[in-house]
Amino acid sequence: MRIVYIDAQNVHKSIQELGWIISRELFYEYLQHKFATERVIIFIGYIQKYTRFYEKLSSLWYEIIFKQVLVRNDGTIKWDVDIDIAIHAMKHMYDGIVSEAYLVSWDADYNSLIDEWVHNRVFGKLLVPNLNKTLYILRKSAWWKLQPLTDIKHLIEKKQKD
């Protein structure tokens, strides 16, 4: 089974810094058509006020795995889902569920996961929001299967309503 693992906050913040927004509908369609993915799993922190957003994602066929968030004293939110993605991805690999694994993130914390995928011959592609922000160690591990989202911006960008 071809599975995509998405680090939602990582992707959202990186694309936002570049000044555009991903259309979740178009991105899902792109993943389906380009890579014939059978599951697209988005890992995201759960905040009750975003319930409608989560329902929308679910209606678009994204599988959602929620992470409890940490709200700091200053009101900022810690969203870390790295370990959750790694655990699910490794479990899927060792249970024989995944035949090809795709990751959407730029975070070098995933370097060991990608190394395991390469070693077990299930690594499909690393889709990074911002190539310039992707750390060297991660680019080194996955350079031959790196896909900057900026290269496909014209296919997945949310268009402004007139």
Side-chain angles (χ1 to χ4, degrees), residues 13-24:
K13 282 195 165 284
S14 296
I15 294 296
Q16 190 176 48
E17 287 172 6
L18 293 172
W20 58 285
I21 299 170
I22 288 180
S23 163
R24 285 159 182 81

Side-chain angles (χ1 to χ4, degrees), residues 96-115:
I97 294 169
V98 66
S99 60
E100 216 168 80
Y102 299 82
L103 177 64
V104 185
S105 181
W106 61 264
D107 194 330
D109 289 342
Y110 296 111
N111 192 58
S112 296
L113 175 62
I114 289 172
D115 287 345

Side-chain angles (χ1 to χ4, degrees), residues 76-90:
T76 59
I77 299 171
K78 187 132 175 82
W79 301 81
D80 290 336
V81 297
D82 305 11
I83 192 69
D84 299 80
I85 289 175
I87 288 170
H88 279 81
M90 293 297 287

Side-chain angles (χ1 to χ4, degrees), residues 122-134:
V122 298
F123 182 42
K125 184 82 72 179
L126 172 63
L127 295 99
V128 297
N130 185 345
L131 185 59
N132 295 330
K133 198 171 183 177
T134 305

